[in-house]
Amino acid sequence: MPTEAVADSVLRLRQELAPRGLLIGHFGTYHDRDRGHLREVFAAILRGHGDRRALMIGRGAEAFAAEWQSAEPELVGRIMARSDLPGDEVAEHLSACDLLVQPYFDGVSARRGSMMAGLGLGRPIVTNVGWATEPLWRDEGLVEPIAAGDAAGLVRRTELLLASSEERERLAASGRRLYETTFSCRRTIERLRADALAAK
C-alpha cells in the first residue's frame, strides 16, 4: 500500500464525501464474523450526529453497506462504500478520513494489513487488544485496553478522539513514527541486510 496520497485528490474526496462534518472510516474485508460488530459500533457513532459520515473501504464494502442501510434506513445517505479500489485510491480514501475504526476479533497485530495501511498514511486509528496483540501497541500508546467485541469501549474511545483534533493528531503522529521505525520497507531492507551480513 502507498504511504502517501495525492493532496488534491484527498481534498476532492473530502468535499464529496463529508463536506461539512467528520468522516469515520473502516478498511477491511467485511467477513460475516465481523459485520454485526461493525454495524453496532458505527451505528452508535452515527446516531444523533447528523454531520457524521461513515466510509467503508475494501472488498465486500458495498454489499455490507447495502445490507446495513436496508436494516437501518434512517442511516441511508450517511454510509458510503468503496470496493475493489486500486492501492493509490485506497490510500486517498483512507487519507480523507478524520479517524479510522479498526476492530479485530483477535486484537490488533503487525500482521494486519488494514492496520498497516492506516499507520503508514499517518491516520489516527481506534482499535482493540486481543490474544494476538504484541506489546509494542500498548508501549507506543496506540491501543487502549479495549477487549475484542467491546463495542461500547470502541465507541467511547472514538467519541473522545472525535472531540479533540489535537488528540487525533498526536495518535496519528505516534502511529506514523512506529510505522517508519518498525514496519516500513526501508526498515525491513535494513534488517535483511543486517541479517545477511551477520550470516557471512
Side-chain angles (χ1 to χ4, degrees):
M1 284 292 301
T3 56
E4 301 291 340
V6 177
D8 288 347
S9 297
V10 174
L11 181 60
R12 175 183 55 78
L13 280 170
R14 278 292 310 192
Q15 291 300 313
E16 173 191 337
L17 300 172
R20 291 178 296 277
L22 293 163
L23 184 63
I24 304 100
H26 175 79
F27 182 31
T29 56
Y30 305 92
H31 191 281
D32 288 347
R33 174 196 60 226
D34 305 320
R35 289 184 174 206
H37 184 51
L38 280 173
R39 275 179 53 181
E40 183 180 3
V41 171
F42 272 85
I45 293 166
L46 294 178
R47 287 192 194 108
H49 300 276
D51 60 338
R52 294 179 182 176
R53 300 289 182 272
L55 176 60
M56 305 289 112
I57 307 165
R59 187 173 67 251
E62 291 175 17
F64 170 67
E67 172 191 286
W68 180 10
Q69 290 180 103
S70 176
E72 299 188 70
E74 67 274 18
L75 297 178
V76 169
R78 299 180 59 203
I79 305 163
M80 294 153 291
R82 301 289 187 272
S83 299
D84 303 315
L85 295 174
D88 59 337
E89 292 185 31
V90 170
E92 290 166 2
H93 282 74
L94 291 173
S95 296
C97 294
D98 295 288
L99 182 69
L100 300 176
V101 179
Q102 297 289 140
Y104 298 109
F105 76 95
D106 55 354
V108 64
S109 67
R111 70 186 184 86
R112 292 291 184 178
S114 53
M115 186 72 182
M116 293 297 109
L119 282 185
L121 289 162
R123 305 318 303 144
I125 304 172
V126 174
T127 188
N128 61 274
V129 296
W131 61 263
T133 300
E134 304 97 342
L136 65 89
W137 301 99
R138 297 183 185 88
D139 295 345
E140 296 295 327
L142 295 174
V143 64
E144 298 291 314
I146 301 167
D150 182 1
L154 288 169
V155 172
R156 282 194 300 272
R157 178 63 175 154
T158 299
E159 291 294 347
L160 287 171
L161 288 167
L162 291 177
S164 172
S165 59
E166 291 83 3
E167 183 62 13
R168 293 198 302 273
E169 289 169 8
R170 184 205 63 75
L171 185 63
S174 294
R176 181 65 185 249
R177 184 168 56 252
L178 176 66
Y179 182 86
E180 290 295 332
T181 58
T182 308
F183 302 120
S184 67
C185 287
R186 175 186 57 78
R187 183 62 178 140
T188 300
I189 291 168
E190 287 174 356
R191 286 176 174 168
L192 290 172
R193 285 175 173 165
D195 290 346
L197 287 172
K200 286 184 179 180

